[in-house]
Amino acid sequence: MRKFVTLKTNKFLMQDIIRLKDKDFAMYIREEEIVKAITRVAAEIERDVQGENPLFVGILNGAYMFAAELMSKLPPVYELTFAAYSSYQGVHSKGVVQELLPVREDALRGRSVILLEDVIDTGLTMHYVMRRLWEAGVSNVRLAAMLFKPDALRCDLKPDYVGLEIGNDFIVGFGLDYDGLGRTSRDIYRIIK
């Protein structure tokens, strides 16, 4: 049975509400603010990688929109690839990282890598991925996150580039999903019920 997404405007609160499966989400961050933050991050990265040939690694599935937007702000001379790791089921992290699609180790050895992540909350997935990259022989690893939830962090991890710091809400949109839904929205919504 197919699940449909409904969009309605709550005139009392003057904000958009979307329903995904059994949950309601309210407008949280508009596309314009997201793109402005990504543009700033791209400028910071471009400044820092002068003279380098970094490999950009987008973390699927959530970071595909962040990676596309960020890379469109950089010169087309950089290599982009994707990897997939997961620790979420529904709205909760399982706390165990699954390696679904790792980057080929021969593509990593001796390279500077910039990881592109949609959101860092507990930090456990990125902590795991960064450790795996060092083990594969990279020369340097930097971490760029579209969103960062510092109050949710459960490990020693500090992103090098952060688009926006946000609260510890469950969010969807701009690549982030709830059981596969909501990913393609250009705005970000947070769960309300």
Side-chain angles (χ1 to χ4, degrees), residues 28-29 33-34 118-121 146-153 162-172 176 188-190:
Y28 185 43
I29 307 170
E33 186 178 352
I34 299 164
D118 54 359
V119 61
I120 296 174
D121 44 32
M146 180 175 68
L147 304 168
F148 179 43
K149 298 179 181 181
D151 293 340
L153 198 60
V162 173
L164 299 165
E165 283 192 9
I166 62 172
N168 196 16
D169 297 305
F170 185 81
I171 53 178
V172 298
L176 296 118
I188 293 176
Y189 295 81
R190 70 175 151 198

Side-chain angles (χ1 to χ4, degrees), residues 60-133:
L60 296 173
N61 289 329
Y64 81 96
M65 287 180 74
F66 172 49
E69 191 70 37
L70 180 90
M71 297 306 287
S72 76
K73 311 284 187 224
L74 294 171
V77 297
Y78 298 115
E79 184 180 353
L80 171 66
T81 191
F82 290 92
Y85 302 87
S86 178
S87 66
Y88 263 84
Q89 184 172 12
V91 298
H92 301 290
S93 175
K94 298 177 288 189
V96 176
V97 178
Q98 293 179 303
E99 198 167 23
L100 307 173
L101 177 67
V103 179
R104 291 185 349 263
E105 287 199 20
D106 62 328
L108 296 170
R109 192 160 314 283
R111 294 284 301 266
S112 175
V113 173
I114 299 177
L115 291 171
L116 306 177
E117 177 65 307
D118 54 359
V119 61
I120 296 174
D121 44 32
T122 66
L124 296 174
T125 300
M126 284 300 95
H127 190 267
Y128 171 85
V129 172
M130 291 177 83
R131 182 174 47 84
R132 294 281 292 136
L133 291 174

